[in-house]
Structures are given as C-alpha cells and as structure tokens.
C-alpha cells in the first residue's frame, strides 16, 4: 500500500485528506470521530472572537440533477455559533488524543491587528498545527466586513496576512474566495503577506432555486432567503481550474495548495493532487455520506499509485505542465468520431445532438427494421467530442486521431507566420 503521508506548507498529516472547515468540524466530538475513521486532518469550523454567531434555523438547500441527489449544495449557515473558549478547549483535548493528526484552525475576526493577534495566539496555545485565514465565505459574514469582503481585495488580504504572521508560530494558509475575476491576484497578495500556503476554493455565491409553489427562494426563512455559498460535485471543474491557475502562475507556482471543491471520491482527489494540491479538503460528500468515505478515498488513491508505480510526491503537480493557454494548442491535431455499429443501439441521439447542436457531421437513416442507422461524415467532422459525450453506450463512439503530414501549429505560430494549418471542414 502506497505511503499517503503528506506535508502541506509544513503541516504534516498521515494522509492528504482533511475535513474542510464546515459543519462536519463543528465540535470536538465530530473531529475525534473523523480521526477515528481515518481522516488525516481537519480544519476546525471557523472561530471568531466576541459573542457567538446566531444562525437561521433553515440554512441548507440542494440541487438534484437527473436522479443525482445533492449534485450542488448551498448554505446560508455562518461560522461557528459556539463560544470561543469551548472550541479552544475541545481543540486542545482532540489534539492531545490524536497527536499525529493535523488540526488546522480556521479564523475570522474583525480587521484589526489586535483582534487577529489575540485569536492567533489563543489558537496556537490550544495546539493548532496550522491556521487557515477564512477570506472566502461569501454570505453573512461578508456583510460585516469579513470573509470574502477581505478576500476580494488583494490589499486587505496582504495586510491581514502580514498581521497574522507577526505572531504566528505555525504555518498559515489563506483560504481564497472564488468570487473574483482572477484568483491569481489574491493568491499573489497572500504570498506577499507571508502566507505559507493557500486553500481553495471556498463556496460560490448562489441562489439554489425557488419553491415553485410559493415562489420563495430556498432555503426559505419565513418566506425570504439570501444568497449563499454553493459547493458540492457541481463546482469541481471551477475549483480544478483555480487550483491550476495558481500552480501554473510563475509568481505562485511554488506556493503549497490545499485543494477544495466537490471532492466526492478518490478520482476527484487524484485530479486535485495532479494539478498541484498537496492535500485535499472534503465537506459536502461527508455531509451526504458521513466520515466512512475516507476508506474509499485512501484505498483508491493508494491503489492508483501502486498500479502506476508512483509516489504521492510524484503525482503532485504531474498534470501542471499540460495546462497551457489556448493560443499554444496544436491546431493540426486532428481527431474524428468513429461509431461501432455492433455496439450502437440506434437511438439516434448522436445524430440529433450533432445536427441541432453542433456541426452536422452525422448521417442518419431510419431503416425498415425501425432502427436508426447513424454514420459519421468524415469530411464534416471537426472532432468536437459531442457525439461521444451524449452516447448512452460506453465505448460505442470513440474519438480517433487522424494522422496528417502537417507539423504542429498553434495560433501563435499562425499569427507569427511560422506555421501552416492542415485543411479542415468548412461549414458554409
């Protein structure tokens, strides 16, 4: 079994799987149970100073899609609503009981040096292995000048990170908001402020939907609602892109990353790690299925590494060099669809998708036996993949590379006069 122990910005954990700062890390009872189940680390639900937060009663909503429950998940819950001293005592007790597991304490206080110094010192005294500065939550707390209200302004991100580092004796991660035009700017600001690493993504601003009987937004609070944070499997592509943006940015490429966003199984985790994440944080899947999913996460990644003879360190960032700007892609890489007639069930879905939604490159004929015969028109196929994506039969439509005599040619090559494009279908 592959060694899954890892280090993220100096924070050691027995495996790369951490619970994200959220309801599953609200109490010492939950975090202890998670460590018993096998989780490597936990980011304690965000602490603040002063009076405990008051939450609404109704606070979660979900997007189900085509039979998949909680494809997307939305919440208007705020940070911890438990007293600071209770949380700190439980952090101390859990750390004492599980010295080899990582406890990272998420923090959010008002934007003053004194407030940040105070809570950092208290968290460290309680035994935190690391700190995560919550500059990402998009709802509720942002109205009070915290969370994403900080993360959306690089100057604030840099300033508060600097204040924290003035007294921090453990690694500091800055949790980034995805509710910005370009996540690289706050990441660079965090680095300039002295962050030891970043974690991303936090939740995305959203309205999950309406109750069509009452037309009230969900989750409904006495007939009203508010924008909340969107997460779950639906956000994974957005998170992967933002992780890769930081991993490929020359200014932040060396910055350790804890990846977050829609991780539901071991394959998701492999993708985050291959795009540069050192550890992976999970929330929605645990809220759906419980702590037991850690078994699948660890077994799956371990088997993946064993089958390829790789270590976790070798997997980390293995796909980063494959991320490029569009202008650098090879325009002479030609592929066409191929339909396996023995596997085709004659549903005609590929024809409909191509004819109405793409490039009219599939021939269709209704035969006497009632079956719809389909065939690709090679001269019209642009290799867009759509037919293979909509086909309900695995392996029925494959995308096949078509060799040609033209050398690699990017848009940069074309515009600089240094490349020649291979012939391609023309749709009048």
């Amino acid at each position: 079994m592959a060694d899954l122990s890892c280090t993220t910005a100096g924070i050691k954990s027995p495996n790369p799987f951490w619970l994200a700062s959220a309801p599953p890390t609200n109490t010492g009872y939950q975090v202890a149970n998670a460590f018993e189940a096998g989780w490597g680390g936990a980011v304690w639900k965000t602490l603040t100073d002063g009076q405990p937060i008051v939450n609404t009663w109704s606070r979660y909503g979900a997007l189900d899609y085509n039979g998949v429950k909680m494809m997307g998940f939305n919440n208007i819950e705020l940070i911890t609503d438990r007293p600071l001293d209770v949380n700190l005592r439980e952090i101390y007790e859990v750390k004492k009981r599980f010295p080899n597991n990582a406890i990272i304490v998420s923090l959010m206080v008002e934007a003053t040096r004194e407030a940040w110094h105070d809570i950092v010192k208290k968290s460290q005294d309680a035994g935190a292995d690391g700190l995560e500065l919550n500059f990402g939550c998009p709802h509720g707390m942002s109205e009070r000048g915290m969370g994403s209200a900080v993360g959306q302004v690089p100057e604030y991100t840099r300033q508060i990170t600097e204040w924290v580092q003035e007294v921090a004796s453990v690694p500091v991660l800055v949790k980034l908001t995805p509710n910005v035009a370009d996540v690289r700017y706050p990441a660079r600001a965090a680095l300039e402020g002295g962050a030891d690493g970043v974690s991303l993504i936090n939740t995305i601003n959203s309205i999950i939907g309406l109750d069509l009987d009452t037309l009230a937004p969900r989750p409904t609070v006495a007939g009203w609602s508010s924008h909340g944070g969107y997460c779950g499997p639906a956000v994974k592509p957005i998170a992967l892109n933002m992780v890769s943006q930081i991993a490929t940015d020359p200014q932040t490429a060396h910055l350790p990353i804890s990846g977050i966003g829609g991780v539901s199984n071991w394959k998701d985790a492999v993708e985050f790690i291959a795009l540069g994440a050192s550890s992976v944080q999970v929330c929605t899947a645990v809220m759906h299925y419980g702590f037991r999913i850690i078994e699948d996460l660890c077994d799956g990644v371990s088997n993946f590494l064993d089958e390829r003879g790789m270590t976790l360190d070798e997997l980390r960032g293995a796909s980063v060099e494959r991320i490029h700007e569009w202008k650098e892609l090879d325009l002479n890489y030609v592929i066409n669809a191929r339909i396996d007639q023995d596997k085709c069930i004659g549903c005609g879905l590929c024809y409909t998708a191509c004819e109405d939604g793409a490039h009219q490159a599939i021939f269709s004929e209704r035969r006497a036996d009632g079956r719809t015969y389909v065939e690709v028109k090679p001269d019209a196929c642009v290799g867009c993949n759509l037919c293979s994506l909509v086909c309900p039969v695995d392996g029925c439509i494959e995308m096949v590379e078509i060799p040609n005599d033209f050398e690699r040619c990017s848009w940069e090559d074309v515009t600089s006069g240094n490349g020649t494009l291979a012939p391609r279908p023309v749709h009048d």
Side-chain angles (χ1 to χ4, degrees):
M1 185 172 183
D3 178 13
L4 297 184
S5 61
C6 79
T7 301
T8 304
I11 304 169
K12 298 182 183 298
S13 57
N15 62 56
F17 300 109
W18 298 357
L19 292 172
S21 172
T25 60
N26 193 38
T27 67
Y29 169 80
Q30 291 170 286
V31 175
N33 283 344
F35 288 165
E36 288 277 11
W39 289 84
V43 185
W44 208 276
K45 189 167 183 182
T46 305
L47 308 185
T48 192
D49 54 5
Q51 292 296 315
I53 292 300
V54 177
N55 272 300
T56 58
W57 290 83
S58 171
R59 58 187 78 167
Y60 302 147
L63 176 67
D64 303 336
Y65 184 74
N66 202 23
V68 178
K69 298 287 287 184
M70 285 176 53
M71 184 68 184
F73 187 76
N74 159 284
N75 84 91
I76 58 171
E77 182 169 303
L78 304 184
I79 59 178
T80 183
D81 53 8
R82 307 169 72 232
L84 178 61
D85 61 335
V86 172
N87 276 300
L88 294 173
R89 186 185 72 242
E90 292 183 2
I91 290 168
Y92 173 80
E93 292 170 350
V94 174
K95 186 59 194 176
K96 186 176 180 181
R97 184 178 166 193
F98 298 92
N100 296 323
N101 294 78
I103 294 181
I104 301 92
V105 178
S106 176
L107 301 174
M108 180 193 291
V109 294
E110 62 178 322
T112 69
R113 174 185 270 118
E114 293 73 20
W116 278 101
H117 281 189
D118 182 61
I119 202 163
V120 165
K121 291 175 181 176
K122 288 177 177 175
S123 300
Q124 292 173 163
D125 291 345
D129 297 298
L131 306 172
E132 184 180 80
L133 313 186
N134 185 343
F135 297 161
C137 278
H139 56 277
M141 303 309 293
S142 58
E143 300 168 12
R144 309 176 195 187
M146 295 182 266
S148 63
V150 173
Q152 290 172 327
V153 183
E155 290 79 7
Y156 295 168
T157 297
R158 179 173 52 252
Q159 176 66 81
I160 294 178
T161 306
E162 288 175 350
W163 290 343
V164 168
Q165 286 291 20
E166 288 171 354
V167 295
S169 60
V170 296
V172 175
L173 305 177
V174 171
K175 190 171 187 177
L176 302 175
T177 176
N179 300 297
V180 292
D182 190 333
V183 77
R184 290 173 293 188
Y185 289 95
R188 292 169 186 168
L191 178 63
E192 292 167 5
D196 298 293
V198 292
S199 52
L200 72 158
I201 59 172
N202 206 310
T203 53
I204 301 171
N205 256 324
S206 59
I207 296 287
I208 196 69
L210 304 182
D211 180 333
L212 294 186
D213 291 328
T214 64
L215 297 183
R218 295 183 279 114
T220 302
V221 181
W224 292 10
S225 192
S226 178
H227 69 91
Y230 190 53
C231 54
V235 311
K236 191 188 77 173
I238 299 169
L240 289 176
N241 175 54
M242 291 192 170
V243 167
S244 75
Q245 282 185 292
I246 293 172
T248 55
D249 181 2
Q251 296 186 41
T252 58
H254 64 287
L255 195 59
I257 299 170
S258 186
I260 315 166
V263 175
S264 302
N265 56 54
W266 68 266
K267 294 179 181 177
D268 298 333
V270 166
E271 292 176 307
F272 272 89
I273 295 169
L275 285 174
S278 298
S279 57
V280 177
Q281 299 186 29
V282 183
C283 172
T284 306
V286 169
M287 294 181 73
H288 197 164
Y289 299 109
F291 296 136
R292 61 181 178 172
I293 67 169
I294 187 61
E295 298 174 11
D296 169 73
L297 292 170
C298 286
D299 289 347
V301 172
S302 179
N303 291 337
F304 178 86
L305 295 173
D306 286 343
E307 289 171 2
R308 285 159 180 75
M310 298 178 73
T311 67
L312 192 62
D313 284 338
E314 291 170 339
L315 174 62
R316 186 172 300 113
S319 296
V320 171
E321 65 180 7
R322 296 171 181 264
I323 302 290
H324 290 266
E325 294 188 40
W326 188 94
K327 65 183 180 182
E328 299 174 298
L329 302 181
D330 184 5
L331 299 176
N332 285 343
Y333 171 70
V334 179
I335 59 172
N336 270 195
R338 291 288 184 271
I339 299 173
D340 186 334
Q341 299 296 341
D342 292 333
K343 294 182 178 178
C344 180
I345 60 175
C347 67
L349 191 55
C350 60
Y351 167 77
T352 300
C354 184
E355 188 70 12
D356 294 351
H359 303 93
Q360 302 80 50
I362 293 181
F363 167 79
S364 172
E365 180 180 74
R366 191 73 169 176
R367 296 266 171 100
D369 59 2
R371 181 176 181 273
T372 300
Y373 174 80
V374 290
E375 188 58 86
V376 175
K377 295 185 281 188
D379 292 342
C381 181
V382 302
C384 71
N385 302 325
L386 181 61
C387 56
S388 66
L389 297 176
V390 302
C391 180
V393 181
D394 289 342
C396 179
I397 301 181
E398 294 183 331
M399 305 307 299
V400 180
E401 182 174 359
I402 309 298
N404 60 67
D405 296 329
F406 290 81
E407 295 183 355
R408 186 186 186 287
C409 177
S410 69
W411 182 245
E412 277 188 324
D413 296 327
V414 173
T415 55
S416 64
N418 294 320
T420 302
L421 290 172
R424 57 200 59 234
V426 176
H427 294 82
D428 297 327

